[in-house]
Amino acid sequence: MIAMNIQDIQKLYGVLPQGDVLMKTMEEKSVRTVFLQGLLASATPMFFASIVKRWQKTMLFVLNDNDEAGYFYNDLKTIAMPENGQEQTAEVLFFPSSYRRAVKYGQRDAGNEILRTEVLSRLSVINEAKATASLPLCIVTEPSALAELVVAKHKLDEHTLSVSVGQTMDLTETEKTLRSYGFQQVDYVYEPGQFAVRGSILDVYSFSCEYPFRIDFFGREIDTIRTFDVENQLSKDKREAVEIVPELARQANEKVSFLTLLPPDALLVMKDFGYVRDTVQRIYDEMQSMLLKDP
């Protein structure tokens, strides 16, 4: 018996002729839609994880509901972003609905808002050609998330503070900028939308990341940037550059479809196009009905 891990299986998928045929087919400008058959269960994320690095394109995977999207996301992330020291083949992000339950109940979820903002911020970086990572981006979502309009790109750019190691910034001016974005100054940050200043250290909890950022200044120059855990205040990951973004739900005007923020060459992968289209339309109509009923 030969012992194999997920990455070994991924390599086998990577040399399948079907992958080369698909890539060659999609390069034809006359081809707009391709139907794939025979990809069942985890074979789908395994197949796309094996070709995404060669393709170097942003991919949007649209599953039929939140549960399917969650399982697909976990599979794709496990395959493409292994934690065992193996090489990563893609950056995988989840784009959920901003609501805890169906949109008609109107209960927003702060955690989901962070995940959504992280995706929007990442797409803004890609579209501006500011990305430093060489890994392609894979986004996993479902119809209810796509039905919600998002803040327009120029509004996102206006409310995004880009920070990088070695950058020269005035800490006092940075505080003013954060306040203008709607961030609240506190003694210690514990939830998104807050910032704290202690000497030369700026802690800020952006809506673009699961963890807050700790930015250490040396004079006017940014010396280090790290994420940290609010429970124990211990550092987690070292970052070279970050995007600080406020709560985008407050930017109520100039909303657009999420699809308009994707790069022009992005690839859309859907399990059932007809079902996704009809579900997005139904949920969008429900949201518009809710807005009309509000005083």
Side-chain angles (χ1 to χ4, degrees):
M1 179 179 295
I2 300 177
M4 301 183 69
N5 58 31
I6 292 178
Q7 280 63 48
D8 293 330
I9 300 174
Q10 179 187 347
K11 291 178 181 178
L12 293 178
Y13 269 77
V15 297
L16 289 175
Q18 289 89 334
D20 293 329
V21 171
L22 175 61
M23 294 179 66
K24 185 176 181 180
T25 301
M26 293 304 296
E27 289 174 357
E28 298 289 337
K29 294 183 178 180
S30 59
V31 177
R32 305 288 295 178
T33 305
V34 175
F35 292 92
L36 302 179
Q37 292 181 327
L39 291 174
L40 304 176
S42 296
T44 306
M46 182 68 75
F47 174 72
F48 281 102
S50 68
I51 65 172
V52 65
K53 189 172 183 181
R54 288 190 291 159
W55 210 320
Q56 288 294 314
K57 294 181 184 295
T58 297
M59 290 188 181
L60 177 68
F61 297 91
V62 187
L63 283 297
N64 286 353
D65 56 43
N66 189 65
D67 289 339
E68 282 191 355
Y71 286 123
F72 189 95
Y73 166 74
N74 286 326
D75 283 348
L76 184 61
K77 186 175 182 180
T78 299
I79 299 166
M81 301 178 66
E83 298 180 353
N84 56 3
Q86 296 285 338
E87 181 185 10
Q88 293 188 14
T89 57
E91 178 184 4
V92 184
L93 297 178
F94 189 56
F95 188 74
S97 166
S98 59
Y99 295 89
R100 294 181 182 179
R101 302 162 65 191
V103 62
K104 61 183 178 181
Y105 297 107
Q107 297 177 332
R108 289 189 172 271
D109 185 285
N112 286 356
E113 291 279 10
I114 293 175
L115 293 175
R116 288 174 66 87
T117 304
E118 182 181 13
V119 172
L120 299 180
S121 179
R122 189 70 182 87
L123 286 174
S124 178
V125 171
I126 291 176
N127 288 328
E128 292 295 331
K130 295 182 294 185
T132 57
S134 59
L135 294 177
L137 177 63
C138 293
I139 304 168
V140 181
T141 188
E142 45 90 17
S144 65
L146 292 182
E148 297 179 45
L149 298 180
V150 300
V151 64
K153 183 182 182 302
H154 72 94
K155 282 292 183 181
L156 175 61
D157 292 342
E158 289 174 3
H159 292 82
T160 298
L161 179 62
S162 298
V163 179
S164 59
V165 173
Q167 181 179 350
T168 299
M169 295 180 65
D170 183 86
L171 183 53
T172 302
E173 290 300 318
T174 302
E175 292 179 51
K176 293 180 180 179
T177 299
L178 293 176
R179 291 193 190 94
S180 71
Y181 286 177
F183 281 87
Q184 177 187 9
Q185 186 168 6
V186 295
D187 292 332
Y188 297 96
V189 302
Y190 58 88
E191 64 180 13
Q194 298 177 336
F195 76 95
V197 179
R198 298 187 308 281
S200 63
I201 296 177
L202 169 65
D203 289 347
V204 57
Y205 208 149
S206 169
F207 274 84
S208 62
C209 184
E210 179 182 2
Y211 296 99
F213 303 130
R214 177 158 290 159
I215 305 170
D216 194 351
F217 285 78
F218 184 76
R220 292 171 54 90
E221 183 177 309
I222 296 177
D223 188 33
T224 60
I225 303 174
R226 298 179 183 271
T227 58
F228 68 95
D229 193 317
V230 294
E231 296 294 332
N232 54 31
Q233 296 292 304
L234 296 179
S235 298
K236 296 185 67 66
D237 301 319
K238 190 173 182 180
R239 303 288 186 93
E240 290 298 317
V242 296
E243 308 288 326
I244 300 174
V245 185
E247 183 180 6
L248 296 178
R250 296 184 178 183
Q251 313 303 320
N253 57 341
E254 298 190 57
K255 295 292 187 73
V256 298
S257 166
F258 171 73
L259 298 180
T260 64
L261 300 185
L262 295 174
D265 63 347
L267 179 69
L268 273 64
V269 182
M270 299 186 183
K271 181 179 180 181
D272 187 332
F273 172 75
Y275 178 84
V276 170
R277 177 196 60 202
D278 295 342
T279 304
V280 168
Q281 185 63 57
R282 175 179 57 79
I283 296 174
Y284 178 79
D285 291 341
E286 290 178 358
M287 296 177 67
Q288 294 305 305
S289 178
M290 289 174 55
L291 292 175
L292 293 175
K293 290 179 181 180
D294 288 339

